[in-house]
Amino acid sequence: MASDSPPRRVTSADVARVAGVSRTTVSFVLNGEDRRISTETRARVLAVADELGFVPFAPARLLRGAASRLVLVITPELAGAPHEVGARIVSRLGERLAADGLDVIWQFGRAAARAALDLTPCVVLASPDESDPAFFALAKKFDVPVLPMFPGVTDFVGSAGGAQATYLLEQGHRALAFAAPDDPALREASDIRELAVREAVGSRGIGAVQRLTMSASRDNGAVALDDLLTRHPEVTGICAFDDQVALQVLAAAHDLRMDVPGRIAVIGVDDLPAASFAIPALTTVATAIDEFVEDLAKLVRARIEGSVGPVVRLPLTPHIVRRNSA
């Protein structure tokens, strides 16, 4: 009969018993202490610990004076960073820091941010930008380095909008619209990107950019697109806030039996996996983040070691992923 009790945590005593060594030896090996332990013994202990799934108990380590290996990421609302790219950055940073023996815990929402105060991180990464009063309010609550998770986020978000508009203008479109999401959580980022589109168009002296708000309802999306193009038939290109909104625009165009890109060209942002499967395949804007993640990981390690570390900013190097929708 199966037991309903949770599985017992693997302890250092278990590792010692299976490896045939003392708990003291296990402690020295797992803490990286050089106590003249043979290479063979060290390898055997590490292999057994991995096989048993041993994970050091953090509170006990800290009580013994060991350094915290926890990097805490707090994103109450991602502070204007689009959710898709923000999630991608945090995920890749977690993978990168794991290679350095650091563990990342990601806390969502304001309630989670309060609960995070009970944790014992070595570094905190917070979604508000350093210019945001919320960043300083959060920093005061921890006695460890607090760094921005998305430094330079405003320029980063805007750069994609500028790239969208520039691409459509270079393709010969002279009247554009910006398709915005109706999600309040994305309003700040949407406003930043829309402003960048308007500035790119304004710098060419072409004219105004119309606004199209896309709802999650497919029927409402078709109505909104039809209304926009009825009132502004001159519009031939649409810069969508992100790929999700762009896919909604494509669906609306399909329901209206509207030719894409013949009647309207559509361009998104983020290069979601679904973008290449859209009909027509979605042209979008992407920005490589690997170098940023590597630099951010270097900054985290530097702060743990008590040094300044590199200056880190989100990249401003968007590129067009050309497909069939624009």
Side-chain angles (χ1 to χ4, degrees):
M1 177 175 167
S3 172
D4 292 331
S5 60
R8 184 177 68 84
R9 183 185 184 91
V10 176
T11 67
S12 60
D14 297 320
V15 176
R17 176 175 51 79
V18 176
V21 298
S22 69
R23 289 185 65 179
T24 300
T25 297
V26 170
S27 177
F28 288 160
V29 171
L30 296 181
N31 288 323
E33 297 184 36
D34 184 10
R35 297 297 180 101
R36 295 186 177 180
I37 298 171
S38 71
T39 301
E40 180 183 351
T41 298
R42 190 179 299 277
R44 184 166 71 252
V45 169
L46 291 175
V48 169
D50 182 63
E51 179 182 350
L52 296 180
F54 173 75
V55 178
F57 188 46
R61 291 181 65 258
L62 295 175
L63 287 174
R64 292 196 301 268
S68 170
R69 296 197 299 244
L70 175 64
V71 175
L72 176 61
V73 176
I74 304 178
T75 57
E77 50 198 9
L78 282 181
H83 293 182
E84 170 64 26
V85 70
R88 198 180 304 165
I89 288 172
V90 176
S91 176
R92 292 190 185 179
L93 179 67
E95 295 171 358
R96 181 63 191 83
L97 291 178
D100 294 331
L102 298 170
D103 299 310
V104 171
I105 289 186
W106 189 3
Q107 295 280 56
F108 296 91
R110 298 189 181 282
R114 291 193 296 271
L117 298 176
D118 293 330
L119 300 175
T120 54
C122 55
V123 170
V124 176
L125 293 165
S127 59
D129 192 79
E130 285 181 301
S131 62
D132 190 331
F135 178 86
F136 294 100
L138 185 63
K140 291 179 180 178
K141 297 177 181 179
F142 292 92
D143 57 2
V144 297
V146 178
L147 310 172
M149 180 70 225
F150 308 112
V153 64
T154 298
D155 291 339
F156 174 76
V157 172
S159 65
Q164 286 179 303
T166 299
Y167 175 75
L168 290 182
L169 294 173
E170 289 176 347
Q171 297 300 305
H173 298 279
R174 291 296 175 264
L176 306 184
F178 180 81
D182 65 354
D183 183 353
L186 295 174
R187 182 162 300 164
E188 181 181 356
S190 180
D191 289 346
I192 293 169
R193 189 158 287 159
E194 180 177 0
L195 177 61
V197 169
R198 293 183 181 280
E199 289 178 343
V201 171
S203 68
R204 304 283 184 102
I206 293 174
V209 174
Q210 306 305 322
R211 194 169 201 269
L212 169 65
T213 299
M214 297 299 295
S215 73
S217 165
R218 182 159 183 158
D219 289 341
N220 290 345
V223 170
L225 179 59
D226 185 49
D227 178 65
L228 170 76
L229 296 180
T230 298
R231 289 184 294 107
H232 300 282
E234 72 280 7
V235 170
T236 61
I238 296 180
C239 300
F241 165 69
D242 62 7
D243 286 353
Q244 181 65 37
V245 174
L247 292 174
Q248 294 172 350
V249 175
L250 290 181
H254 171 80
D255 293 346
L256 294 170
R257 298 183 179 180
M258 190 175 295
D259 181 29
V260 178
R263 173 60 184 91
I264 55 165
V266 181
I267 183 170
V269 176
D270 286 343
D271 194 22
L272 295 181
S276 64
F277 292 95
I279 301 176
L282 179 64
T283 296
T284 186
V285 176
T287 303
I289 59 171
D290 290 344
E291 185 175 346
F292 166 75
V293 170
E294 179 63 30
D295 288 345
L296 186 57
K298 290 177 181 177
L299 177 61
V300 169
R301 294 195 301 270
R303 291 302 177 88
I304 292 173
E305 296 165 0
S307 58
V308 176
V311 175
V312 181
R313 305 288 288 179
L314 282 162
L316 303 180
T317 53
H319 64 274
I320 304 297
V321 181
R322 301 187 183 191
R323 299 194 179 102
N324 299 333
S325 69

